Amino acid sequence: MTESFRRSGEYPQGDQQQSAYSGQPYEQSHQQQHASSVNPEWPPPPAYQPAPGTAPTAQGGAPTALLTEPVSSAPAAPRKRAKGPLALLAAVAIAAAAVGGGTAYAFQELTGNDTAAGSATSTSVVTASKKGTVAGVAEAVSPSIVEISATSNAGSSTGSGVVVTTGGEIITNNHVISGASQIKVQLSNGKSYTASVVGTDSKKDLALIKLEDAPSGLTPATLGDSDAVKVGDEVVAIGSPEGLTGTVTSGIVSALDRDVTVSTDESQGQQQQQQQGGGSGGGSEQWPFEFGGQEFNGDTGSSTTTYKALQTDASLNPGNSGGALIDMNGNIIGINSAMYSAATDSSSSSTAGSVGLGFAIPVNTVKADLASLRSGGSDS
C-alpha cells in the first residue's frame, strides 16, 4: 500500500486531511513523520540496514509499511570490465583453456580471421560462403591453373602449370617441358601466350617458365604448407588431363613421404612421346615412374632421381602433370607429377585411366627450390 506525501505548507492550513493510519490531521501526522529518522523527501535508501527502532512508527511504535523498505547489505564495488577488442580477445582466450582446439574456429569467427581451424595453412582464399567445398576451391584456384603445350622434335605433349607471380612465372614439372623447342600456355580465360624456360631442376622434376608479354591481372596461386598436411585431408586437383582444360577432381591425401623415382634423362621423355604417338593431341603421354621397386607406365631409363611425394586418390590422368593439388582452403600443397595407369598396353585408351594412385611434389619442396629455379636451376 502506498501513500503520497506533501511538504508542510504545501497545502492551505485549513486542510484537515486525515492520516490513513493515525486518524490525526495530516499536518500533525506529517510532523510526527518529519521527526523520524527518515527524510520526508525520500532520499535513496542507506547502504546499511537501519538499526532496530529507528524505522518510523505510528500509534505505539509499530513500523509502518509505508516508510519501511527492504534494504540489502552494502553491495561490493563493481568490478571494472574491459571494453572493446581487448575484452573480446580475453574472453576467447579463457574459452581456449576450456575447450581446446575448437576455440580456434571461434577465434577465427570473432576476429574476422578467415582461417579454418585445423587446416594445413594459415590463409584461406575460398569465399566464406563456399568454405570447405570443392566448388569453392575450384572457383578460387582455377584462374591460377594453366594448360601447357610443349613442342619438341619428338612431337608435342600437354601438361599443366601453376601461376606463382603476377609477372607470369609458372611452376610445372620438368618432364612437361623437357627438350621443348616451343612452349605455349593457355590461361583459364582461353587466351594463349608463348613462354620461355627460366630454370629447371630434373632431380626434383620441377621447372619454372615465364610468359612472354604477360598480361595484367594474372591471379597467382597461394602456396601452402605441405608439412602440415595429414593423411585423410581432403584435396582437390586441377589440371588439363587429355587436353581437357581446367578439369577438377577431388579426393584425400592417401599417404605421406612416398619415395617416387622418375627419369632425369631428357631423351627418355622424348622417346616416351614417340612410343605413344605424340602428335598435336599428345595429352596421352604418361610419364614413367618407379615406386616400391616396380616401374609403372614404361621404362624410366638408367638416369633417375627419387623424391618424397604426397600420395592422393584424387583422379589424375595424363596432362595433370604440373598441375595443382590443393587443400580445402584453396592453398597449393603439391605439384602433381606422377600417376599410375592400369593399362598394360599404353596405346589402348580403353583400359587407360586413373586408378586412384597419384603423386605430387610437396609444395615446401617447390618453395625451397624457387630461388634456384629463378637463377637457372640446378641443371644450368
Side-chain angles (χ1 to χ4, degrees), residues 89-289:
L89 296 180
V92 172
I94 293 171
V99 300
T103 305
Y105 181 76
F107 186 88
Q108 162 206 335
E109 294 299 317
L110 292 173
T111 60
N113 189 338
D114 203 20
T115 305
S119 68
T121 57
S122 58
T123 304
S124 179
V125 298
V126 180
T127 58
S129 62
K130 297 183 179 179
K131 191 179 292 185
T133 66
V134 174
V137 173
E139 180 181 3
V141 184
S142 288
S144 304
I145 311 302
V146 302
E147 179 181 305
I148 299 174
S149 299
T151 304
S152 69
N153 295 332
S156 64
S157 62
T158 301
S160 305
V162 179
V163 178
V164 293
T165 65
T166 55
E169 288 185 331
I170 297 169
I171 282 287
T172 186
N173 287 141
N174 178 59
H175 75 256
V176 170
I177 53 87
S178 179
S181 57
Q182 184 183 49
I183 300 174
K184 289 287 187 179
V185 173
Q186 180 177 314
L187 303 181
S188 62
N189 60 11
K191 295 182 179 179
S192 295
Y193 298 84
T194 299
S196 58
V197 176
V198 176
T200 60
D201 186 347
S202 60
K203 291 182 175 58
K204 296 183 177 68
D205 196 15
L206 290 173
L208 182 69
I209 63 175
K210 187 173 182 179
L211 298 180
E212 298 174 3
D213 300 321
S216 60
L218 288 175
T219 305
T222 301
L223 304 184
D225 179 10
S226 52
D227 287 343
V229 173
K230 296 179 178 61
V231 173
D233 282 352
E234 293 181 272
V235 290
V236 174
I238 305 179
S240 299
E242 305 293 349
L244 300 173
T245 307
T247 297
V248 177
T249 57
S250 64
I252 63 168
V253 174
S254 304
L256 307 174
D257 298 326
R258 293 298 201 195
D259 289 324
V260 173
T261 300
V262 297
S263 175
T264 58
D265 189 353
E266 180 178 300
S267 63
Q268 187 70 19
Q270 295 176 348
Q271 180 183 1
Q272 190 73 7
Q273 288 176 329
Q274 289 175 332
Q275 290 175 347
Q276 298 184 14
S280 59
S284 61
E285 177 191 0
Q286 299 178 63
W287 188 246
F289 70 97

Side-chain angles (χ1 to χ4, degrees), residues 242 272 276 283-291 294-298 314-319 337-359:
E242 305 293 349
Q272 190 73 7
Q276 298 184 14
S284 61
E285 177 191 0
Q286 299 178 63
W287 188 246
F289 70 97
E290 296 179 12
F291 175 74
Q294 294 182 315
E295 290 186 340
F296 302 96
N297 304 341
S315 179
L316 301 179
N317 290 284
S337 58
M339 66 289 301
Y340 168 68
S341 172
T344 55
D345 179 0
S346 59
S347 64
S348 174
S349 60
S350 62
T351 56
S354 173
V355 294
L357 289 175
F359 302 90

